[in-house]
Amino acid sequence: MSIRYDATQRIFRLETNHTTYQMQVGPVGHLLHLYYGRPVPDALGYRLLPRDCGFSPNPYDLREHRGWSLDTLPQEYSSADNGDFRCPSLEVRTASGMRGSDLRYVTHEISKGKYALSGLPAAFDRDDTCETLSVTLKDAATGLEAELLYGVFAAEDVIARAVRIKNAGTEPMTLHRVASACLDLPFGSWELLHFHGRHCMERQPERRPLLHGVQTISSNRGASSHQHNPFLMLCAPETTEDTGECIGVMPVYSGGHRTDVELDQSGSVRVVTGISDAGFAWQLSPGETFTAPEVLLSFTPSGLTALSQTFHRFLRRNLCRSKFSQQPRPVLVNSWEAAYFDFDADRILSIARGAKELGADLLVLDDGWFGRRSHDKTSLGDWTPDEGKLPGGLEPLVRAVNDLGLQFGLWIEPEMVSEDSDLYRAHPDWALTVPGRKPAMSRDQLVLDLSRPEVSDWIFETIAGLLRAHNITYIKWDMNRSLTDVFSRALPPERQGETAHRWVLGLYEILERLTAEFPDVLFEGCAGGGGRFDAGMLAYVPQIWCSDNTDPYSRIAIQYGTSFGYPASAVGAHVSASPNHQTGRRTPLSSRAAAAMAGMLGYELDPGKLSEDEKAEIRRQIADYREFAPLIQLGDHYRLGTSAWMFASPERDRALVTVTVPAPEGNPRPLHLRLKGLDPEKYYAISRIRYFGCEIEPAPLQGVYSGAALLYAGLTLPQLYGNLPGAQLLLEQTEAL
Ligand code: GLA
């Protein structure tokens, strides 16, 4: 039993293997948060001693008790205009102008299994061990009901939360903000670790103390964005990778999002997280329900790495439904940086032949194959092959690629339309544009209105048609601009504030239908690289193109930041040509491969331009990768610093360690590393070492070490000189010497 209710004290206790979460129904029905942290056996009722705080109002029925204020007490779901002046989870206005709500406990239910959210991605109960708590709160004046959902994954140490808002009143209301969760932390000192960035430089970690007031991590771009990833951690100031308390908050949502972190007058911290309220206004008629997306919470006292690993495992096992989340991925060669728009069938076939020679499994035909797409100003929406480039369409090419013994994959950007396209000429109203105003353009394209069922049907049929007609086993699903001019020609004026969220629901519906009909197709997400790298997408696609930047110097930094929330199995990572097309930097092929082997490996270059030596090197890289892949994809990931990492098998019998030196110095100090994730009782042999990027051949390194020696004393590597030099070591359990 991971959920218990103590009816005397009216306390809910949610227990995972290593955490306790408690809340209590207060004297007049407010649902108060008590605790989230290490396991405690006691019911912590009345721990929150009310205190009289000037200018913090009291609920009317508790006006004799000046200490009882919603402004100071921690709550499970905050609201506006009811005496709590901190961040609201809910903002509502009824037709008669009432604002705010006073939510009080009505009932609850504890059930086996995990709740489901209609139309939204959500974690699932892989092992039949999850339990659900549903608590219904009600605002008597408006009739609004908030059903707070808690999915308790005990073994995984994750609590999933979501909210259903029902209009159980008699007059229409408009929701202006509906958060998925509110987490009040009444005690402790916390820092915020979040992941900001930009196109080609996504998910850069930034850790800072909380300041009084509200710190907001958000995207109002219609997508989760390159700029602010919808994942954050709160950690105690002393928390390190290996020790200390921290909490992870991960919305399962791919659209605009908003997380407020507020440090209030009492020193308490409130986190309110959910969909972006920028322009949001959802009409809710009597009897209707609105469902706010899921958010995943996890706590650990054991440092950032432990928290990351919890999310890694959970996303792989309990969120991503694709069979590929557990199965080996193909090593692919992608045509984009090899040919851009400049190709015909022969050119693609010659890349495919080269890919086969390198030992790859899959050839991906990227942008440029459809309409008259010889540049990026045209043809999105016209998903019929360009006969000029591909005579006879896709089929002869797919067959020829298959005949080489390769799978065939295809790029598509289904959510978009070019102004210069037959689709736009036929259906100008299918694009998001504001009547009477020229839309903001981005990459010369517009966004299709996915809130319209006929548009999402058309997208589904178009992609399903391609997949039914051809032997396509992989789709790269791209999305290359943010949403602006968010106006739907199909919605009435009073519903325009619903467009952005309905758009995301439309996207999820298409993904749901496609992944259900084509479970054997590997879908890879992409949005100009990592502009939509989030748990919502990962429910449908097992991997996402992490960044358009494949320069290993940058990529190592991007993948480092990404690793805090997301597993390597979610990271699409390619070796591209040198000099790099994004940064102009030259790097050795071996260093590029070492960086790409922290994710799902691919190549994005023209094999025809490789020397025989380079081809041989790539064949060896791919052979190595196939051997390492189970560790990388399903092993435990450890950050050993910003530019060194390792994967260890759950059985602790194998590990792959990668160390890079981004800025080699003259007369370098010894490179010394304490490893992680090994068993101190076991012995390990360095069964393989690959140096990369080294201009001067390093001294050999081999031997057998105890796990204890590698963990506590560490390993000293030879001096490494070169251009992003480093070493990749495979450790395998062996007998003691
Ligand atoms: C985006 C993607 C790239 C490539 C191009 C094609 O930028 O991130 O990988 O597919 O689009 O236009």
Side-chain angles (χ1 to χ4, degrees):
M1 283 274 285
S2 46
I3 302 175
R4 278 182 290 164
Y5 179 61
D6 172 344
T8 320
Q9 295 191 72
R10 301 212 289 178
I11 290 181
F12 295 99
R13 284 198 271 172
L14 279 41
E15 261 136 29
T16 72
N17 287 4
H18 302 98
T19 69
T20 294
Y21 188 110
Q22 289 193 18
M23 53 192 136
Q24 181 175 31
V25 181
V28 293
H30 300 106
L31 189 60
L32 304 174
H33 179 80
L34 295 176
Y35 175 72
Y36 188 29
R38 290 179 194 235
V40 290
D42 337 29
L44 294 169
Y46 309 114
R47 188 178 70 120
L48 305 166
L49 288 179
R51 68 186 181 92
D52 190 351
C53 182
F55 286 83
S56 288
N58 320 111
Y60 191 82
D61 33 6
L62 288 172
R63 62 191 180 283
E64 299 302 326
H65 305 271
R66 293 271 174 97
W68 277 93
S69 174
L70 297 182
D71 201 28
T72 54
L73 288 168
Q75 293 171 71
E76 282 299 306
Y77 202 66
S78 56
S79 188
D81 207 23
N82 63 355
D84 183 351
F85 297 102
R86 296 170 293 172
C87 291
S89 313
L90 181 67
E91 292 218 49
V92 58
R93 199 173 279 275
T94 66
S96 60
M98 280 193 278
R99 178 178 171 248
S101 35
D102 182 12
L103 295 170
R104 311 258 180 135
Y105 171 86
V106 179
T107 185
H108 75 269
E109 194 183 321
I110 296 170
S111 53
K112 294 256 170 254
K114 164 77 199 322
Y115 63 81
L117 300 177
S118 140
L120 285 163
F124 63 90
D125 185 13
R126 187 182 278 273
D127 306 314
D128 280 340
T129 51
C130 184
E131 289 181 15
T132 292
L133 168 67
S134 146
V135 186
T136 302
L137 312 176
K138 184 163 185 161
D139 175 57
T142 58
L144 179 145
E145 283 179 7
E147 183 190 9
L148 311 188
L149 294 160
Y150 300 79
V152 181
F153 291 85
E156 292 79 6
D157 283 318
V158 169
I159 296 178
R161 288 184 59 177
V163 176
R164 293 194 190 107
I165 301 293
K166 182 174 179 187
N167 183 347
T170 51
E171 61 168 334
M173 52 181 70
T174 306
L175 305 174
H176 291 278
R177 181 171 192 183
V178 188
S180 300
C182 167
L183 180 65
D184 276 349
L185 303 167
F187 304 111
S189 165
W190 299 95
E191 293 184 344
L192 172 64
L193 175 56
H194 67 110
F195 305 90
H196 69 97
R198 58 188 190 274
H199 177 228
C200 284
M201 218 55 221
E202 297 89 339
R203 290 173 297 286
Q204 302 300 301
E206 191 168 72
R207 179 171 172 172
R208 53 180 150 115
L210 292 181
L211 305 176
H212 283 94
V214 182
Q215 286 109 111
T216 299
I217 305 300
S218 69
S219 158
N220 56 5
R221 294 169 177 264
S224 48
S225 87
H226 301 85
Q227 286 74 12
H228 294 288
N229 193 264
F231 173 61
L232 55 88
M233 291 175 167
L234 292 173
C235 31
E238 65 275 12
T239 295
T240 67
E241 285 285 6
D242 305 312
T243 58
E245 299 197 338
C246 42
I247 295 173
V249 179
M250 182 178 281
V252 184
Y253 193 60
S254 310
H257 56 89
R258 173 172 177 167
T259 301
D260 288 332
V261 184
E262 179 171 8
L263 179 61
D264 74 5
Q265 59 175 340
S266 314
S268 304
V269 173
R270 166 170 291 178
V271 181
V272 174
T273 182
I275 62 181
S276 168
D277 59 345
F280 179 79
W282 192 278
Q283 301 287 303
L284 207 62
S285 299
E288 285 183 346
T289 297
F290 176 84
T291 305
E294 183 159 275
V295 60
L296 307 175
L297 302 179
S298 187
F299 166 90
T300 179
S302 309
L304 303 173
T305 296
L307 190 58
S308 294
Q309 289 181 355
T310 296
F311 280 97
H312 294 174
R313 275 191 291 271
F314 195 77
L315 297 188
R316 280 197 309 253
R317 294 194 75 251
N318 297 88
L319 186 74
C320 184
R321 306 177 218 157
S322 164
K323 69 173 191 181
F324 292 100
S325 75
Q326 308 296 315
Q327 284 184 11
R329 313 282 169 83
V331 174
L332 62 84
V333 172
N334 178 297
S335 68
W336 179 239
E337 290 195 6
Y340 292 102
F341 297 106
D342 181 19
F343 61 82
D344 57 14
D346 286 345
R347 178 98 197 269
I348 296 300
L349 261 181
S350 101
I351 295 173
R353 267 184 230 105
K356 182 67 191 169
E357 207 189 323
L358 297 177
D361 307 300
L362 169 73
L363 185 276
V364 181
L365 176 55
D366 208 282
D367 198 352
W369 59 269
F370 51 91
R372 291 174 293 104
R373 184 84 167 167
S374 49
H375 48 74
D376 64 10
K377 295 184 189 314
T378 181
S379 297
L380 293 173
D382 296 345
W383 302 110
T384 42
D386 178 349
E387 289 275 337
K389 287 179 180 170
L390 308 175
L394 279 176
E395 191 53 23
L397 180 62
V398 176
R399 281 199 193 175
V401 169
N402 286 169
D403 287 347
L404 290 170
L406 287 177
Q407 300 171 48
F408 184 86
L410 194 64
W411 177 95
I412 186 163
E413 196 182 349
E415 299 150 74
M416 299 292 156
V417 63
S418 303
E419 226 181 354
D420 175 23
S421 67
D422 293 341
L423 182 70
Y424 185 71
R425 281 182 283 271
H427 299 286
D429 58 318
W430 279 17
L432 293 176
T433 54
V434 176
R437 186 194 296 157
K438 289 289 179 203
M441 297 303 285
S442 186
R443 214 190 187 203
D444 274 293
Q445 62 196 58
L446 295 168
V447 182
L448 286 172
D449 181 0
L450 271 53
S451 76
R452 296 176 71 155
E454 67 273 38
V455 176
S456 37
D457 279 350
W458 179 86
I459 292 176
F460 168 76
E461 286 304 335
T462 304
I463 304 176
L466 287 166
L467 294 175
R468 287 179 198 135
H470 309 291
N471 186 24
I472 296 169
T473 55
Y474 164 103
I475 288 282
K476 178 175 172 189
W477 182 299
D478 211 342
M479 193 264 192
N480 280 318
R481 64 160 289 175
S482 306
L483 274 61
T484 62
D485 304 275
V486 183
F487 183 93
S488 171
R489 307 286 174 141
L491 288 172
E494 67 278 12
R495 290 205 176 270
Q496 289 302 330
E498 300 176 14
T499 309
H501 181 56
R502 285 188 185 277
W503 189 92
V504 180
L505 295 178
L507 169 66
Y508 287 149
E509 195 205 322
I510 302 168
L511 288 167
E512 184 80 47
R513 290 171 73 187
L514 282 171
T515 49
E517 183 172 335
F518 303 100
D520 298 330
V521 173
L522 169 59
F523 289 87
E524 175 157 357
C526 177
R532 200 163 57 184
F533 204 111
D534 58 67
M537 289 307 288
L538 286 171
Y540 303 99
V541 305
Q543 63 189 60
I544 298 175
W545 181 225
C546 184
S547 177
D548 276 344
N549 189 346
T550 46
D551 176 330
Y553 282 87
S554 311
R555 250 313 174 110
I556 287 169
I558 295 165
Q559 290 169 182
Y560 168 74
T562 303
S563 78
F564 282 84
Y566 305 96
S569 63
V571 171
H574 296 176
V575 175
S576 59
S578 179
N580 182 272
H581 294 195
Q582 288 75 35
T583 64
R585 187 161 26 210
R586 288 176 196 277
T587 52
L589 179 56
S590 55
S591 309
R592 281 173 267 152
M597 285 196 212
M600 301 296 95
L601 179 68
Y603 290 79
E604 184 142 348
L605 41 69
D606 186 349
K609 295 193 176 145
L610 296 168
S611 68
E612 288 309 313
D613 282 352
E614 287 172 322
K615 286 184 194 168
E617 187 177 338
I618 291 180
R619 277 194 291 276
R620 204 210 61 217
Q621 290 167 358
I622 293 179
D624 275 356
Y625 184 74
R626 289 193 200 286
E627 201 186 328
F628 303 155
L631 272 174
I632 298 168
Q633 192 180 333
L634 301 171
D636 296 330
H637 176 270
Y638 292 86
R639 290 177 290 271
L640 301 176
T642 52
S643 54
W645 60 93
M646 68 181 281
F647 298 95
S649 69
E651 302 75 27
R652 306 278 173 254
D653 59 353
R654 282 183 108 216
L656 179 69
V657 182
T658 307
V659 187
T660 67
V661 185
E665 293 177 344
N667 188 15
R669 297 197 176 114
L671 188 56
H672 186 78
L673 271 187
R674 283 189 186 178
L675 302 188
K676 298 185 180 179
L678 303 176
D679 183 342
E681 306 291 325
K682 288 182 176 163
Y683 281 79
Y684 297 88
I686 298 179
S687 61
R688 188 167 325 153
I689 179 157
R690 301 264 191 232
Y691 290 110
F692 54 83
C694 295
E695 293 293 336
I696 302 170
E697 186 61 23
L701 184 72
Q702 57 195 21
V704 171
Y705 303 82
S706 68
L710 293 169
L711 290 166
Y712 311 140
L715 188 68
T716 307
L717 292 167
Q719 292 174 317
L720 300 173
Y721 304 89
N723 179 354
L724 196 58
Q728 198 178 43
L729 293 88
L730 182 66
L731 299 172
E732 288 180 297
Q733 190 184 344
T734 186
E735 297 302 312
L737 277 179

